Amino acid sequence: MRKMGRTIQEMRPHRRTASRGKQMDYFVQQLINGLTLGSIYGLIAIGYTMVYGIIGMINFAHGDIFMLGGFAALIVFLVLTSLFAGIPVALLLLVMILVGMLVTGLWNWTIERIAYRPLRGSFRLAPLITAIGMSITLSNFIQVTQGPRNKPIPQLVTDVYHFGDITIALKQIVIVVLTAVLLAAFWYIVNKTPLGRAQRATEQDRKMAALLGVDVDRTISVTFIMGAALAAVAGAMYLMYYGVSSFTDGFTPGVKAFTAAVLGGIGSLPGAVIGGLLIGLIESLWSAYFSIEYKDVATFAILAIVLIFKPTGLLGRPEVEKV
Amino acid sequence: MSPVTEKGETSLMAKAIREGIFAAIISFFMFLLFVGVETYQDINNALVWRMRWGLLFIFVAIAAIGRFLTVAFIKPHLDARKLSKAKSGILEISTQKSFFHRHFLKIALVFLLVYPFLMMLIVGKQGSLKYVDNFGIQILIYVMLAWGLNIVVGLAGLLDLGYVAFYAVGAYSYALLSSYLGLSFWILLPLSGIFAALWGIMLGFPVLRLRGDYLAIVTLAFGEIIRLVLINWTEVTKGTFGISGIAKASVFGIWSFDVGAPNNFAKVFGLASSSVYYKVFLFYVILALCLLTAYVTIRLRRMPIGRAWEALREDEIACRSLGINTVTTKLTAFATGAMFGGFAGSFFAARQGFVSPESFVFLESAVILAIVVLGGMGSLTGIAIAAVVMVGGTELLRDMSFLKIIFGPDFTPELYRMLLFGLAMVIVMLFKPRGFVGAREPTAFLKERKAVSGSFTKEGHG
Amino acid sequence: MAPETTAMTDTILKVEHLSMKFGGLMAINDFSFEAKRGEITALIGPNGAGKTTVFNCITGFYKPTMGMITLHRRGGRTLLLERLKDFEINKKAGVARTFQNIRLFSGLTVLENLLVAQHNALMRASGYTILGLLGAPAYKRAVADSIEKARYWLEKADLIDRADDPAGDLSYGAQRRLEIARAMCTGPELLCLDEPAAGLNPKESLTLNALLRSIRDEGTSLLLIEHDMSVVMEISDHVVVLEYGQKISDGTPEHVKTDPKVIAAYLGVEDDEVEEIEEQLDGGAV
Ligand SMILES: Nc1ncnc2c1ncn2[C@@H]1O[C@H](COP(=O)(O)OP(=O)(O)O)[C@@H](O)[C@H]1O
Ligand SMILES: [Mg+2]
């Protein structure tokens, strides 16, 4: 959280210039920053929303799954750069992301099997508490095994493009483009494949889906793996963007991504992405024009306001109490 | 119980071995990066790595053996027990309770009343400091917080993930008003509770119409907002530095615990000066506050408002069809819970002499909620037991310095405190999803008071 | 025909031009009817006709798209129900209801369920909790009264032996009776029952009829949704038939029973076959 503040602060001096064109540039610059951040939140938010949609559970440990993804990428980076000096950056990034996706997917699969599945259909708060316990376990596991200090790595992608006064870093482009590609692939899986159909069926009515031959357990497992894989990509990109990982990284982005999921309407996939982008934009614009200190307050306040006036989020299905 | 055929046994063993190997493979890939590779900073401050094959092997071996034992022995054992239980009827709770069982509450109360003196007798005056403060007071604070949150979550069924906000309001109310206005603890204690309750009403009013998980996220957001404001409103709260030098509580203004004061407790009674007296005094204050919380909760449960809370947890729509204003009913639960959080907060400030936003992070809310759920929602006894187990257990780890002898001088048990806390949360939930005490005491009866089994009670949805 | 002022034809509930839309679905379409004080009025119709939706509009759980719902209280006070909040319908208008899918407080005991129903009265007696906490004698009296009232209804609903058991532990039939007893403990003038006989065996059904009649005879008017025609014909004074959200018949049980439209609706036959059925019915009538 503090890290993001710093990066945005660095951009601040641009604001001194007062001409209208400059102001516009400054605004566009903030939009780009917000979009980048929002892409990361959106990718994490999808994991929250999918799990909530399919088993109605707030997966509190999802933020820490994202953190695991970041650490996996960090370790792969260290190992590869020391074993193969001069490895091309694109290949390096690709391996970081892929290994991160596999390892975090495996973790989330195991966690679901061991900690959540036995509680499926039990008391509603039990899985929530288990997930909170898992979240505490995961972050402390990384603290114990990798140490409590921040882990900095050198900048991976340093190219910067200038368009007049607007600066776009290549890493921002990578993040936004990669997010868009993943979302397209993801949309295809959910809407066009038998797997996606099984997911949607399970979401609608788990018992009925099972009766009709959908392997519900497998579908839920796959959902957890997919959510974790997307979070791992977000983790790798977060590392690339900020150049540092810490075992506490799961919490704030996790809560914000969850906020994004709720803001967009929990259970809705486009909602998660739109919510993520909105939160990214609110955060960067608020920091730019009001105060960095209160940017998270603004995010949470807007969430509360949206929910008060539209209790199911922006794209959530309106919920009529069936009496 | 039932005789297992030899064939069944061998196939079970084969299955267990297969599962064990599978677990080994899975855990190898899970731990390869995070355990197998150690990342650390070298002399040049650059991040480097080295392999830890030995540690990785231990992790994988534990996973494999654990899985093997689970499949081969633990699970069959549990299944057999469940089966024999089902066969012998449902008599799970024996009607013949032991003396200890029947008088548990009285015994516990007497123990608590003599606890500080008992500790002084056993480990001496200075030695008892740790037991009275780190164990006694610390656990009782969590008991009080959990009992307060229990009104919101356990009784009314409202999922509040930001309870620590009210704890913070109480603590900062005391810290600020005693520093700026010089008001005393005994005035500020009730005031802090009232402030927290007002905050509860203010925050609750717009959001209590939300249902279920939406309420959860909004309460979490409010908790974070309050913490961020405390961090950033530096003119008043001094930000992350926190407020220090907060006035101590006094014995109703008669005796003080300030070292220089003429009415210093130790001086008046001609005792050697020591910080033990203050801690013992604080122990009794928090014990009294806990008892107050318990008393009010028990009384309120038998009032129409308390019954309405529980009815709300069971079925909100039915409540409305019976003419119960669910918004005000939720608000009263929220405000009452907040009030106890506020009391606990002001006590916390007086005990620490220092408050900072660090003490009011989300993790605290999660721990308090976990204690409520692990204890068994609604059950005061269960919650107290959960607080002792979870808080006391992790406090114990703080002082397991003897472990250093086993694991070497680099071993810091404190690091493992929260790791084990998290694991314990998961494991308790897996084995007891309804918490330690699942049954519910009815609030009224015609002929006899029969506990309601946990399988009937609902957990609320709002 | 008869003057409106006599006690017998006194209207308690008047629904006018009620419409309810869910998205594109017109669940209720311009529906009007009246329920008389001291009578059992039945609302019948095939599955999905919109009966429960009418109940939800009357009891404030849905806001009707259009229409007016007027309740005349005993003292002469008139309330527009669609303007009240859901909980005020019971508190201010004296309308209680049960649910098609039973909604009991299953983790509370049977007695506690009945005490929760007396919430508003007890709340007042306890001085909004404060006098109660102080142990005021007036509150203690109110509590004793509330337990007596609960006992009265437990006996009437034949649940007195189960008073201290969790509501979730009761049999289905007993849960239905408890839900009615709970609604009665709020002291309503109008009791709305959504399929109270659904899922009951014939014996339970008979006891239920007796219970409903005695509720009526003690002065509470009833509005009843029912599927089981035998129950309807036996106990109701007035029947309204709903199909696809519209009223197709309204009158005494005898009148409705022989209404060709009703027969067609229930048997799902073409219009020209209706006459045929009518003849058969006349021939085989009991
Ligand atoms: N909350 C709701 N949202 C959408 N449609 C509803 C809702 N409640 C009822 N309906 C629809 O209104 C119609 C009437 O339903 P209902 O009143 O339950 O019928 P009945 O009680 O006569 O069987 C049905 O088509 C039902 O699907
Ligand atoms: Mg119906």
Side-chain angles (χ1 to χ4, degrees), chain A residues 323, chain C residues 46-53 100 194-195 225 227:
Chain A
V323 180
Chain C
N47 239 333
K51 304 177 299 287
T52 302
T53 307
Q100 188 171 349
D194 198 343
E195 305 205 11
I225 292 180
H227 228 70

Side-chain angles (χ1 to χ4, degrees), chain B residues 138-399:
Chain B
Q138 185 74 4
I139 291 173
L140 286 176
I141 288 181
Y142 278 97
V143 169
M144 173 153 185
L145 285 170
W147 280 352
L149 182 61
N150 174 50
I151 293 174
V152 184
V153 181
L155 296 185
L158 304 167
L159 184 49
D160 182 353
L161 290 178
Y163 188 63
V164 79
F166 305 120
Y167 188 40
V169 167
Y172 272 84
S173 300
Y174 178 64
L176 292 172
L177 293 179
S178 89
S179 307
Y180 288 120
L181 302 180
L183 296 176
S184 86
F185 177 74
W186 294 105
I187 294 173
L188 288 177
L189 179 71
L191 265 185
S192 304
I194 291 168
F195 283 152
L198 288 177
W199 272 93
I201 291 171
M202 247 166 60
L203 298 184
F205 196 72
V207 301
L208 284 176
R209 278 178 314 142
L210 298 175
R211 300 188 327 146
D213 306 317
Y214 293 96
L215 181 64
I217 179 72
V218 174
T219 50
L220 192 160
F222 277 139
E224 285 296 292
I225 289 178
I226 288 199
R227 188 175 66 88
L228 291 166
V229 169
L230 290 177
I231 290 178
N232 291 307
W233 196 16
T234 41
E235 300 85 25
V236 175
T237 63
K238 306 219 174 74
T240 44
F241 291 111
I243 301 171
S244 51
I246 300 168
K248 285 180 176 171
S250 65
V251 189
F252 305 109
I254 305 170
W255 299 299
S256 150
F257 291 98
D258 294 327
V259 185
N263 59 344
N264 179 288
F265 183 84
K267 244 187 246 169
V268 171
F269 290 88
L271 300 161
S273 91
S274 160
S275 55
V276 169
Y277 310 120
Y278 186 50
K279 296 298 180 199
V280 171
F281 166 68
L282 286 179
F283 178 87
Y284 286 111
V285 172
I286 186 70
L287 182 59
L289 284 172
C290 281
L291 293 178
L292 176 78
T293 314
Y295 177 76
V296 172
T297 307
I298 291 168
R299 284 299 299 270
L300 282 181
R301 267 194 75 211
R302 293 178 190 168
M303 292 272 139
I305 187 70
R307 274 196 209 110
W309 289 340
E310 289 201 79
L312 199 62
R313 177 192 70 207
E314 298 287 317
D315 193 324
E316 178 170 348
I317 287 174
C319 277
R320 286 192 250 146
S321 82
L322 297 173
I324 297 175
N325 184 345
T326 49
V327 174
T328 50
T329 306
K330 285 179 186 178
L331 267 184
T332 51
F334 218 59
T336 313
M339 180 181 74
F340 288 117
F343 288 153
S346 70
F347 173 83
F348 172 79
R351 172 221 187 189
Q352 300 294 93
F354 169 74
V355 291
S356 83
E358 287 278 286
S359 309
F360 309 105
V361 292
F362 168 73
L363 186 66
E364 290 294 315
S365 293
V367 168
I368 301 164
L369 179 66
I371 291 172
V372 174
V373 178
L374 296 179
M377 304 218 309
S379 158
L380 296 183
T381 319
I383 290 170
I385 294 172
V388 171
V389 171
M390 300 302 283
V391 181
T394 51
E395 283 298 317
L396 265 181
L397 272 178
R398 261 193 220 280
D399 50 67

Side-chain angles (χ1 to χ4, degrees), chain A residues 320-323, chain C residues 20-23 25-28 45-56 62 100 194-195 225 227 242:
Chain A
V320 182
E321 282 176 309
K322 282 245 180 184
V323 180
Chain C
M20 181 79 208
K21 231 171 148 176
F22 294 112
L25 175 79
M26 205 67 174
I28 309 291
N47 239 333
K51 304 177 299 287
T52 302
T53 307
V54 171
F55 259 39
N56 285 336
Y62 293 166
Q100 188 171 349
D194 198 343
E195 305 205 11
I225 292 180
H227 228 70
L242 198 61

Side-chain angles (χ1 to χ4, degrees), chain A residues 52 82 124 146 151 319 321, chain B residues 34 39 49 211 213 459:
Chain A
Y52 188 89
S82 74
R124 182 181 61 111
Q146 296 295 330
K151 305 264 168 187
E319 209 179 304
E321 282 176 309
Chain B
F34 304 122
T39 57
W49 63 283
R211 300 188 327 146
D213 306 317
E459 69 272 35

